[in-house]
Amino acid sequence: FTMTYSGGSGSTCGTSYSISGAEPSGSGKYPVYVHIGGTGESYTSNWANAAVQAAAAMGFVAASIQYDNSTFGSCSTIGARAVLMR
């Protein structure tokens, strides 16, 4: 599955980001696995896709989340990002 959400910080607040995921084939309630890639890693990298598919195969609803991860930024930038996510 794919979907989008609105996020970001500062001047990018409200930016549209994507989510890519997979879910078990049967109906029912399942635990959730969220893959958050490291700095600079694409949310659709081979590693992210493999992690999502493996989690879905083990009975999880699994997703990889795109976010602004190109730089760490300063302490104030990181703090602003944390505040926006609350």
Side-chain angles (χ1 to χ4, degrees):
F1 63 87
T2 59
M3 56 184 28
T4 61
Y5 73 97
S6 183
S9 63
S11 64
T12 63
C13 193
T15 299
S16 182
Y17 293 101
S18 297
I19 300 172
S20 177
E23 52 193 332
S25 58
S27 63
K29 294 181 180 182
Y30 297 99
V32 174
Y33 168 78
V34 178
H35 179 83
I36 300 180
T39 302
E41 178 189 354
S42 168
Y43 78 104
T44 57
S45 70
N46 288 339
W47 168 250
N49 289 334
V52 166
Q53 293 303 317
M58 291 187 289
F60 288 81
V61 172
S64 181
I65 310 300
Q66 179 186 30
Y67 66 101
D68 182 11
N69 70 351
S70 59
T71 63
F72 285 107
S74 65
C75 288
S76 62
T77 299
I78 294 168
R81 289 178 182 166
V83 169
L84 184 64
M85 298 302 250
R86 289 184 193 160

